[in-house]
Amino acid sequence: MPMLSSDKNVETLTQLIEMLKHNIELRTEYAKLDATEKIVRLISVATLAVLLLMIFTAAMLFASLATAWWLSQSMGLTAAFLCVSGFYVFVLAVCYLGRKVWLERPLVKFLASILMS
């Protein structure tokens, strides 16, 4: 019957414990790096989205003013601005009604793809 406390068994257990500690350290480091990569990707996507939204907003502002100015030649300035405003209220209502299909689901899929990769 072999002895359980032989030097060879103790040395093997010590090596196993050291390997397990090293494995846990490597996994912890990998999790940190993975989380950092995902956070950086999310921040860069959010920054790009904000930048594009600002450019789009400026373009839409000038396009709206130009449209209202053009319409004012045929219907008056106040009515032209009311027409442009009414168009945006209509677009807002359509976007609100379709928000789950057009915004929430794609956003959830996109974030899940970043976080689950």
Side-chain angles (χ1 to χ4, degrees), residues 101-115:
V101 175
W102 298 329
L103 185 65
E104 289 179 15
R105 288 183 192 152
L107 189 60
V108 167
K109 286 181 182 179
F110 174 71
L111 291 175
S113 72
I114 288 178
L115 295 175

Side-chain angles (χ1 to χ4, degrees), residues 1-31:
M1 176 176 242
M3 293 184 57
L4 293 176
S5 63
S6 72
D7 289 341
K8 182 76 170 161
N9 288 342
V10 170
E11 182 180 323
T12 303
L13 283 174
T14 303
Q15 288 176 347
L16 179 63
I17 290 171
E18 289 300 318
M19 289 176 66
L20 285 172
K21 285 181 184 178
H22 184 66
N23 188 356
I24 290 171
E25 289 172 3
L26 289 176
R27 287 180 182 262
T28 303
E29 189 67 25
Y30 175 76

Side-chain angles (χ1 to χ4, degrees), residues 9-11 22 36 42 47 51 55 61 64-65 68 74 79 83 86 88 101 105:
N9 288 342
V10 170
E11 182 180 323
H22 184 66
T36 302
L42 284 173
T47 303
L51 181 64
I55 293 169
L61 175 67
S64 298
L65 290 171
S74 62
C83 283
Y88 282 121
V101 175
R105 288 183 192 152

Side-chain angles (χ1 to χ4, degrees), residues 44-84:
S44 64
V45 166
T47 303
L48 180 62
V50 167
L51 181 64
L52 291 175
L53 183 63
M54 289 171 55
I55 293 169
F56 178 75
T57 300
M60 289 304 296
L61 175 67
F62 286 112
S64 298
L65 290 171
T67 302
W69 190 263
W70 177 70
L71 286 174
S72 72
Q73 295 173 357
S74 62
M75 64 174 58
L77 191 60
T78 304
F81 275 101
L82 286 175
C83 283
V84 171

